[in-house]
């Protein structure tokens, strides 16, 4: 979008403003709205007639729902840009927006056919604009009418500044990284991140695993894990990754010590134990201080760090030290760091480290799929359009 003349042109921006709200519908974290500001301001500054839409929640297509309305988002956007942002409810058949002004188009997932990338709906979207701008990295892994279909049929289709920045940062971290390249992948289940782990294991120099994933790797390494969260049937897969990494001189560091509790509760007593001393009734809820120090050393020596997921149950203060230590080590490292995923961002916010992380991705699923090396449909269609424009 930065390269286009938008004066007097109708600009349709697909943003990702899917923000969390409390029971009263109040926005509890406006990070995604703030991240979208650059694109909206750029389009307005260039004299465009700007329309912005986003999804919010999981409404039933074809049905309006007050709980999933973008009304609070439009209000917050208006506050942030210092001008009125009217919310247009029925917009698919046509809207009127003046050059130099901005309107918000109601939740695109209220429209029947949105999630199925319906061609008829996509063509209607495309008819609303002269320029389509995808600035929603968080939904780039989905082929939907507002992220993919419209990009086929709009007169011009391009990336917004947020999408461009995301792709540049991820490309820098994975395509041509400064070595050593260290990835931290944590979460409750190996099964949900197995393909990412396998993909990264072929590219990174160190693969730090955390949470329930680490328990599965500990089991694969022959360590006791008590009654900790684990997918024992995937231990052979974890073992395969350990052997593969070792064969090429890379490593998956296994925790030397852990912090255990007897039950999954903030009130349970936290006990530091050597990894080999975990008892049958123990739950591993965090990494221990020796392991934290070892991981910090790895991160200190890294050239590039990719981080997805806390290494312990950081929501419980007694089991937050490992995640804090890792987060602070990343912040202190001279490496280029990129972090993504909801829990990761929550940890960064909790420890007030946002300004010390190289790049914070707004994407969850898209971030993970990019790490896997998968093609993102919403990005692929923009690349196709760009190639077509060059040939033309």
């Amino acid at each position: 979008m930065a390269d286009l003349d938008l004066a007097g042109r109708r600009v349709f921006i697909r943003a990702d403003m899917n923000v969390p709200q409390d029971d009263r519908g109040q926005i509890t974290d406006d990070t995604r709205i703030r991240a979208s500001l650059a694109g909206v301001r750029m389009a307005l500054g260039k004299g465009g007639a700007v329309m912005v839409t986003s999804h919010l929640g999981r409404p039933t297509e074809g049905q309006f729902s007050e709980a999933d309305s973008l009304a609070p988002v439009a209000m917050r956007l208006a506050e942030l840009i210092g001008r009125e942002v009217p919310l247009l409810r029925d917009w698919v058949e046509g809207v009127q927006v003046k050059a130099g002004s901005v309107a918000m188009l109601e939740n695109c997932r209220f429209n029947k056919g949105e999630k199925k990338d319906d061609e008829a709906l996509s063509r209607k979207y495309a008819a609303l604009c002269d320029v389509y701008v995808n600035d929603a990295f968080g939904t780039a892994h989905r082929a939907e009418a507002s992220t993919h279909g419209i990009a086929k049929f709009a007169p011009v289709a391009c990336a917004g500044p947020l999408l461009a920045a995301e792709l540049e940062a991820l490309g820098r971290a994975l395509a041509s990284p400064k070595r050593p390249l260290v990835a931290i992948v944590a979460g409750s289940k190996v099964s949900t991140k197995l393909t990412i782990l396998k993909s990264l294991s072929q590219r990174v120099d160190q693969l730090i695993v955390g949470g329930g994933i680490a328990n599965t790797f500990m089991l694969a390494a022959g360590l006791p894990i008590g009654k900790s969260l684990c997918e024992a049937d995937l231990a052979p897969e974890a073992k395969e990754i350990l052997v593969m990494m070792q064969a090429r001189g890379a490593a998956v560091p296994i925790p030397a010590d852990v912090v255990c509790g007897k039950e999954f509760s903030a009130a349970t007593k936290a006990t530091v134990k050597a990894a080999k001393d975990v008892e049958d009734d123990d739950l591993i809820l965090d990494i221990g201080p020796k392991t934290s120090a070892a991981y910090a050393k790895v991160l200190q020596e890294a050239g590039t760090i990719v981080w997805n997921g806390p290494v312990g149950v950081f929501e419980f203060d007694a089991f937050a030290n490992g995640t804090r230590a890792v987060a602070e080590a990343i912040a202190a490292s001279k490496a280029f760091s990129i972090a993504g995923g909801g829990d990761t961002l929550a940890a960064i916010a909790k420890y007030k480290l946002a300004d010390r992380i190289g790049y914070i991705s707004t994407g969850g699923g898209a971030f993970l799929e990019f790490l896997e090396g998968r093609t993102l449909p919403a990005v692929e269609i923009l690349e196709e359009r760009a190639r077509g424009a060059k040939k033309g």
Side-chain angles (χ1 to χ4, degrees):
M1 180 169 67
D3 300 331
L4 298 176
D5 176 10
L6 302 179
R9 302 174 85 182
R10 298 170 302 156
V11 182
F12 185 116
I13 300 176
R14 173 50 159 105
D16 178 11
M17 299 188 186
N18 183 30
V19 292
Q21 296 170 277
D22 61 21
D23 294 339
R24 296 172 299 141
Q26 300 293 310
I27 295 169
T28 56
D29 180 1
D30 66 357
T31 300
R32 284 181 172 155
I33 301 174
R34 289 179 178 277
S36 301
L37 288 178
V40 175
R41 285 175 173 150
M42 182 185 292
L44 286 170
K46 286 172 170 275
V50 185
M51 299 162 267
V52 187
T53 194
S54 173
H55 70 289
L56 183 69
R58 295 179 179 176
T60 301
E61 283 193 3
Q63 295 180 24
F64 173 81
S65 149
E66 199 72 53
D68 297 304
S69 171
L70 287 175
V73 175
M75 193 179 303
R76 183 62 182 139
L77 180 61
E79 291 171 358
L80 290 168
I81 64 173
R83 64 169 73 198
E84 186 182 351
V85 180
L87 177 65
L88 308 181
R89 181 163 163 183
D90 299 309
W91 53 271
V92 174
E93 300 299 333
V95 291
Q96 293 294 321
V97 183
K98 293 180 180 178
S101 63
V102 56
M104 177 151 280
L105 309 181
E106 186 58 281
N107 194 334
C108 55
R109 286 195 182 161
F110 287 158
N111 302 326
K112 200 156 186 125
E114 164 64 21
K115 291 186 76 173
K116 289 187 177 179
D117 199 17
D118 180 75
E119 182 175 328
L121 181 63
S122 299
R123 287 184 179 277
K124 286 183 177 182
Y125 287 172
L128 300 175
C129 65
D130 302 304
V131 178
Y132 166 69
V133 180
N134 190 328
D135 211 23
F137 176 74
T139 62
H141 58 309
R142 298 191 183 103
E144 298 181 348
S146 66
T147 64
H148 182 263
I150 183 176
K152 289 183 185 177
F153 307 116
V156 176
C158 64
L162 176 61
L163 180 62
E166 292 270 6
L167 295 174
E168 183 182 344
L170 283 161
R172 180 178 167 189
L174 294 174
S176 54
K178 184 180 177 183
R179 300 280 177 173
L181 170 58
V182 179
I184 303 164
V185 180
S188 58
K189 293 183 178 180
V190 172
S191 55
T192 58
K193 295 185 179 178
L194 184 62
T195 51
I196 302 160
L197 291 166
K198 285 187 171 179
S199 175
L200 289 173
S201 69
Q202 297 170 33
R203 290 184 279 171
V204 303
D205 301 297
Q206 297 265 5
L207 178 59
I208 293 174
V209 291
I213 294 173
N215 298 336
T216 305
F217 274 81
M218 288 174 69
L219 186 66
L223 289 166
I225 60 166
K227 58 178 184 178
S228 306
L229 183 64
C230 172
E231 290 174 288
D233 58 322
L234 291 178
E237 303 265 16
K239 181 73 173 177
E240 187 182 318
I241 290 171
L242 288 170
V243 171
M244 185 168 56
M245 292 277 287
Q246 191 175 20
R248 63 179 189 83
V252 182
I254 300 297
D257 60 345
V258 292
V259 187
C260 298
K262 296 300 183 184
E263 58 184 34
F264 189 81
S265 162
T268 193
K269 183 183 176 184
T271 307
V272 177
K273 295 186 175 185
K276 61 182 178 58
D277 295 334
V278 173
E279 297 174 7
D280 291 346
D281 63 344
D282 278 334
L283 280 171
I284 300 170
L285 300 176
D286 195 11
I287 55 173
K290 286 182 182 177
T291 303
S292 295
Y295 289 178
K297 189 172 187 297
V298 168
L299 296 166
Q300 184 182 4
E301 296 170 354
T304 307
I305 300 167
V306 178
W307 178 25
N308 176 253
V311 296
V313 187
F314 77 103
E315 298 90 345
F316 300 162
D317 288 343
F319 303 98
N321 292 333
T323 298
R324 178 194 282 274
V326 166
E328 289 179 345
I330 294 170
S333 175
K334 292 179 181 177
F336 170 68
S337 55
I338 180 166
D343 288 341
T344 313
L345 303 196
I348 290 169
K350 181 174 181 177
Y351 304 126
K352 298 180 171 58
L353 297 171
D355 59 344
R356 296 170 63 197
I357 305 295
Y359 188 84
I360 296 175
S361 174
T362 58
F367 180 82
L368 293 174
E369 291 200 15
F370 194 103
L371 294 187
E372 283 181 43
R374 289 166 70 174
T375 301
L376 304 180
V379 175
E380 186 179 33
I381 186 63
L382 294 183
E383 290 172 342
E384 283 179 21
R385 290 295 305 268
R387 286 193 294 271
K390 283 178 183 176
K391 285 179 184 176

